Amino acid sequence: MKAQTMRRIAPYLFLFPSLLLLISFVYAPALENMVYSLFSWSSVRIESRFVGLDNYRELFASQIFWRALVNNALYAVISIVFQVFFALVIAAVLVAGVFGPLLRNFFRTAFFLPSILPVTVVGLLWQLIYQPTIGLIDQLLFATGLQSLSHVWLGEEATVMMSVIMVSQWQWTGYMIVLFMVAIQAIPSDLYEALRMEGASRIQQFFYITVPGVRESTLILAIITIFGAFKVFDIIWVMTAGGPNNASEVLGTHMYRSAFRNDVSGYAAAVATVIFFITLAVGAVQIRLQRQD
Amino acid sequence: MSELRLQRATKRFGNLTVIEKLDLEVHDREFVVLVGPSGCGKSTLLRMIAGLEDITDGDLIIDGQRMNEIPAARRGLAMVFQSYALYPHMTVAQNMSVGLRIAGENKATIQNKVAEAARILQLEPMLDRKPKALSGGQRQRVAIGRAIVRNPRIFLFDEPLSNLDAALRLQMRLELSKLHDELAATMIYVTHDQVEAMTLADRIVVMNAGRIEQIGTPEELYQRPANLFVAGFIGSPKMNLVEAHSDGNVIDSAIGRYPIRVAEGPVTLGVRPEVIRIGCQDCSTTHSGHVQVVERLGANSFAYLDVGDRTLLTVELPGMTSIKAGEDLQISIPADKVLVFGGNGERLR
Ligand SMILES: Nc1ncnc2c1ncn2[C@@H]1O[C@H](COP(=O)(O)OP(=O)(O)O)[C@@H](O)[C@H]1O
Ligand SMILES: [Mg+2]
């Protein structure tokens, strides 16, 4: 009898510590943050003032907020194109054995390498590459007679966001290629052989077997990519800090600046709440899609 | 007309030679079974024919045309894989029609061919299901159906029944036999199971270590195996193989003296379990043995006899025998049923 009771409560005993940590450091602060977003307060004063939805009104009226949101969306779309679509295609080409094993391993390692670099290092490296005139890109443009395409890549409002986004693609696409390679290699090879005997080209094999075969992985990787796009902060803070003139602002940098530079903590909490609900919505979509199988 | 010829076909993976200078002819409408122990190169040979492996050396000729450089899809062959290789996200109908769709056949033709294959294989109620929702035997049929709709010159099978349980295997064996007659097709079938080979084949090709040991009808292989390997491989339970010595006129062994004239030296006698008689019929060759184990299968039984000289003899007995372990038994072996293999393993008589 006693052993049975023990067996019934044992799982909860195992779960309890992590549940406690989750509640105290994740769920409670998230809720608390939502409460804070209804107040006007500063981190250097004790008193705060209830303002209802004022912070949100201010937020939705702010041009910077909308620009940040658009930048996050752009970041998400381009990341999906590179880190999901291109990565899947390149992974399929590498797995298909178009190259010999030596060349394949070389490509895989070369693509993977940027992902193990710290974001700060990557940011500084690319600041040098983007330097006007003396940077690698401008040097290449000058050398090939295309100097008319030259820009102050990180200094112009028109080019800064794309420039930073491309650095992220450079850093993470290889990582995704490796993940997709693992997923593709789990597909039984005789499926490809059977389809090859039916006369399918490599492209048909890709669409008939690879794509449906990695559907689950693709879904999860796409969702992770979108999460990342709406939470992005580090690479932008290192490279441009949201500038020039807020042209590369994203929700993350907007929130950080509001909280720790402009000291409008209630407003920053409202930004955080918006980020929270966007990622929550993405997560809900993921769960829906996975349930359909 | 579909004829296939392999001439001095060789396959090497790096330094490893898997198939060595192999010659084989498969005739129109023939059911040829490649049989041999695991790892002897059967799948590799079939994949060379299919076009899934390059042929290192030698020629593959189908209907008079050299096929070595022709891509798999244009050889006019269809293959059924051991794993079935069904596309998991496609329905049964889609699985069967994918080749036709790739070839750009029109919808009506595709539908007719799929319906015809589904009728032959009794898959009609399952056309809209995914492979996941099918039993092993049904998946097997879909894989065969996929081959049928392509109307190939030659069907290739790589151990298609080895993932099925025993009862289903027997049923599918019969269905494959029927299918071969119904389609009047040329089929090349790989298995490691000699029972499948014996029951399905017009001709059996016994392979060992990348070479052909013998080609022949099931009866030829059973009655007149070319060498010790084939003798030991074909037949269940195995042929009794007994070490013996020839003095040029008489062969002396643990199961008696036989006046068989072969060259002097060590030989091996081969005796099928069913030719051994109980009791003293031709008493010149009567011998006694000690029964160690008896297996009663119902229609027949097998007794394992210790005849001395560390030789265990399998004897087939009719029905549920009353002979028990521990008894001593008189046996006689008609001399004309004894096969003799020379020191190099080749059959001498
Ligand atoms: N792609 C390959 N690379 C190297 N060795 C292989 C390859 N495929 C098969 N082999 C070798 O060839 C031999 C025959 O294999 P296989 O044709 O699969 O045998 P079977 O089908 O008769 O069991 C085995 O020793 C196997 O290890
Ligand atoms: Mg095999």
Side-chain angles (χ1 to χ4, degrees):
Chain A
M1 195 62 205
K2 210 168 168 200
Q4 210 180 354
T5 323
M6 193 58 208
R7 203 174 311 147
R8 203 165 321 134
I9 59 171
Y12 298 97
L13 290 178
F14 280 103
L15 286 176
F16 182 72
S18 54
L19 206 61
L20 190 71
L21 288 172
L22 260 179
I23 289 172
S24 10
F25 291 106
V26 178
Y27 296 120
L31 262 177
E32 212 179 351
N33 173 75
M34 282 179 213
V35 175
Y36 287 158
S37 73
L38 304 176
F39 288 82
S40 172
W41 62 289
S42 148
S43 47
V44 294
R45 266 175 294 142
I46 294 171
E47 71 272 21
S48 60
R49 184 166 50 87
F50 181 78
V51 294
L53 293 175
D54 273 4
N55 283 327
Y56 292 94
R57 262 178 229 120
E58 191 185 338
L59 182 71
F60 292 128
S62 156
Q63 282 209 353
I64 297 176
F65 167 77
W66 289 110
R67 177 172 272 186
L69 195 62
V70 168
N71 280 343
N72 279 115
L74 186 69
Y75 194 109
V77 169
I78 292 181
S79 294
I80 291 284
V81 170
F82 276 82
Q83 295 174 40
V84 179
F85 291 118
F86 289 177
L88 174 59
V89 172
I90 293 169
V93 170
L94 289 180
V95 173
V98 181
F99 308 105
L102 215 66
L103 210 54
R104 170 170 63 182
N105 283 341
F106 167 76
F107 277 129
R108 189 175 53 185
T109 311
F111 287 145
F112 188 73
L113 225 49
S115 70
I116 63 172
L117 297 176
V119 172
T120 44
V121 172
V122 171
L124 292 174
L125 176 72
W126 277 88
Q127 273 183 344
L128 294 178
I129 294 174
Y130 280 135
Q131 282 272 318
T133 318
I134 57 166
L136 186 63
I137 290 181
D138 269 11
Q139 289 286 315
L140 278 176
L141 290 177
F142 289 136
T144 51
L146 297 169
Q147 53 266 50
S148 59
L149 296 178
S150 165
H151 285 277
V152 186
W153 299 102
L154 297 176
E156 293 176 27
E157 286 185 38
T159 56
V160 63
M161 194 60 214
M162 272 313 271
S163 298
V164 178
I165 288 175
M166 290 320 290
V167 173
S168 262
Q169 309 318 312
W170 174 85
Q171 186 172 17
W172 295 113
T173 303
Y175 182 72
M176 300 295 259
I177 288 173
V178 173
L179 294 186
F180 273 121
M181 283 177 80
V182 173
I184 294 172
Q185 275 159 345
I187 300 173
S189 61
D190 47 16
L191 292 185
Y192 289 98
E193 290 179 339
L195 203 64
R196 209 170 106 205
M197 288 201 66
E198 309 246 26
S201 65
R202 287 214 192 256
I203 292 171
Q204 283 168 324
Q205 291 173 37
F206 176 77
F207 284 109
Y208 279 111
I209 297 173
T210 310
V211 171
V214 299
R215 188 178 167 274
E216 290 276 284
S217 313
T218 308
L219 183 64
I220 290 171
L221 292 178
I223 295 290
I224 290 174
T225 304
I226 296 173
F227 277 147
F230 281 95
K231 294 192 303 188
V232 65
F233 171 77
D234 45 11
I235 187 71
I236 290 165
W237 197 252
V238 169
M239 291 190 73
T240 67
N245 197 18
N246 301 111
S248 61
E249 205 76 69
V250 290
L251 293 176
T253 55
H254 187 44
M255 171 183 73
Y256 183 87
R257 199 189 318 280
S258 306
F260 301 115
R261 294 286 152 92
N262 304 342
D263 198 24
V264 282
S265 296
Y267 180 87
V271 179
T273 304
V274 169
I275 298 176
F276 177 79
F277 277 107
I278 289 173
T279 48
L280 194 70
V282 174
V285 169
Q286 175 196 12
I287 290 168
R288 273 287 290 277
L289 287 176
Q290 271 179 331
R291 236 186 242 147
Q292 276 173 6
D293 280 334
Chain B
M1 275 289 284
S2 328
E3 281 182 336
L4 178 143
R5 240 175 327 137
L6 282 163
Q7 292 171 334
R8 302 176 72 72
T10 299
K11 177 68 192 181
R12 278 189 287 272
F13 293 107
N15 290 329
L16 178 72
T17 303
V18 175
I19 301 290
E20 174 113 57
K21 292 184 186 148
L22 182 142
D23 292 303
L24 176 65
E25 267 187 57
V26 177
H27 307 129
D28 190 31
R29 301 183 179 193
E30 201 174 20
F31 200 133
V32 168
V33 175
L34 306 178
V35 68
S38 186
C40 72
K42 309 176 295 288
S43 295
T44 304
L45 185 61
L46 200 69
R47 291 165 58 81
M48 289 160 72
I49 294 171
L52 296 173
E53 298 282 3
D54 292 333
I55 298 168
T56 313
D57 220 337
D59 300 313
L60 166 66
I61 294 157
I62 299 176
D63 294 343
Q65 191 192 358
R66 189 171 181 275
M67 286 288 172
N68 291 45
E69 271 76 48
I70 308 283
R74 283 198 267 125
R75 294 185 185 188
L77 311 174
M79 180 146 159
V80 176
F81 292 77
Q82 177 172 0
S83 64
Y84 316 142
L86 300 182
Y87 313 119
H89 53 281
M90 295 186 201
T91 64
V92 168
Q94 287 169 336
N95 258 287
M96 293 203 287
S97 64
V98 64
L100 299 174
R101 281 184 281 145
I102 288 169
E105 284 280 359
N106 71 54
K107 276 218 170 82
T109 313
I110 293 176
Q111 214 157 29
N112 287 340
K113 286 188 173 175
V114 169
E116 172 70 3
R119 186 191 59 75
I120 293 173
L121 296 164
Q122 291 145 31
L123 283 170
E124 282 140 326
M126 282 150 241
L127 282 174
D128 292 325
R129 284 201 215 159
K130 295 259 175 84
K132 235 187 338 199
L134 300 178
S135 71
Q138 290 165 342
R139 285 178 203 179
Q140 176 64 73
R141 284 206 194 99
V142 177
I144 295 170
R146 200 166 61 185
I148 290 177
V149 297
R150 298 194 54 214
N151 191 21
R153 292 201 266 202
I154 302 175
F155 286 83
L156 307 176
F157 295 91
D158 191 356
E159 311 226 6
L161 306 187
S162 56
N163 288 346
L164 302 178
D165 62 49
L168 211 50
R169 198 146 57 210
L170 178 80
Q171 186 197 334
M172 284 307 294
R173 220 163 66 202
L174 296 175
E175 289 191 18
L176 275 173
S177 241
K178 253 175 37 198
L179 195 69
H180 176 241
D181 293 342
E182 199 172 333
L183 299 175
T186 311
M187 295 184 169
I188 303 176
Y189 184 106
V190 161
T191 178
H192 67 269
D193 179 353
Q194 58 92 22
V195 177
E196 265 173 43
M198 293 293 283
T199 51
L200 284 170
D202 294 324
R203 278 194 310 151
I204 297 177
V205 178
V206 181
M207 289 181 64
N208 182 27
R211 287 173 301 104
I212 292 178
E213 295 282 355
Q214 188 175 4
I215 303 179
T217 63
E219 193 192 350
E220 277 166 0
L221 296 192
Y222 192 78
Q223 306 291 1
R224 294 186 295 284
N227 53 45
L228 277 176
F229 180 83
V230 178
F233 195 80
I234 299 290
S236 173
K238 270 183 146 99
M239 179 185 282
N240 293 296
L241 297 171
V242 181
E243 300 298 319
H245 188 86
S246 161
D247 65 5
N249 292 313
V250 173
I251 296 174
D252 196 12
S253 77
I255 53 169
R257 285 167 62 83
Y258 296 90
I260 299 170
R261 299 180 66 134
V262 296
E264 190 184 342
V267 295
T268 305
L269 299 183
V271 182
R272 292 277 178 208
E274 70 272 19
V275 307
I276 300 173
R277 302 271 148 73
I278 303 300
C280 175
Q281 281 147 358
D282 173 7
C283 289
S284 64
T285 58
T286 299
H287 218 78
S288 79
H290 188 71
V291 178
Q292 293 212 317
V293 180
V294 179
E295 292 177 339
R296 296 179 187 81
L297 303 184
N300 55 3
S301 305
F302 295 101
Y304 297 89
L305 241 58
D306 183 356
V307 290
D309 212 9
R310 286 179 309 169
T311 304
L312 204 61
L313 216 55
T314 312
V315 180
E316 184 175 341
L317 304 163
M320 297 280 257
T321 185
S322 57
I323 292 167
K324 287 189 203 63
E327 286 180 27
D328 282 325
L329 218 55
Q330 295 286 313
I331 56 164
S332 62
I333 302 169
D336 62 330
K337 294 282 170 60
V338 176
L339 304 180
V340 184
F341 300 90
N344 60 1
E346 298 297 313
R347 186 164 58 83
L348 302 173
R349 204 204 83 145

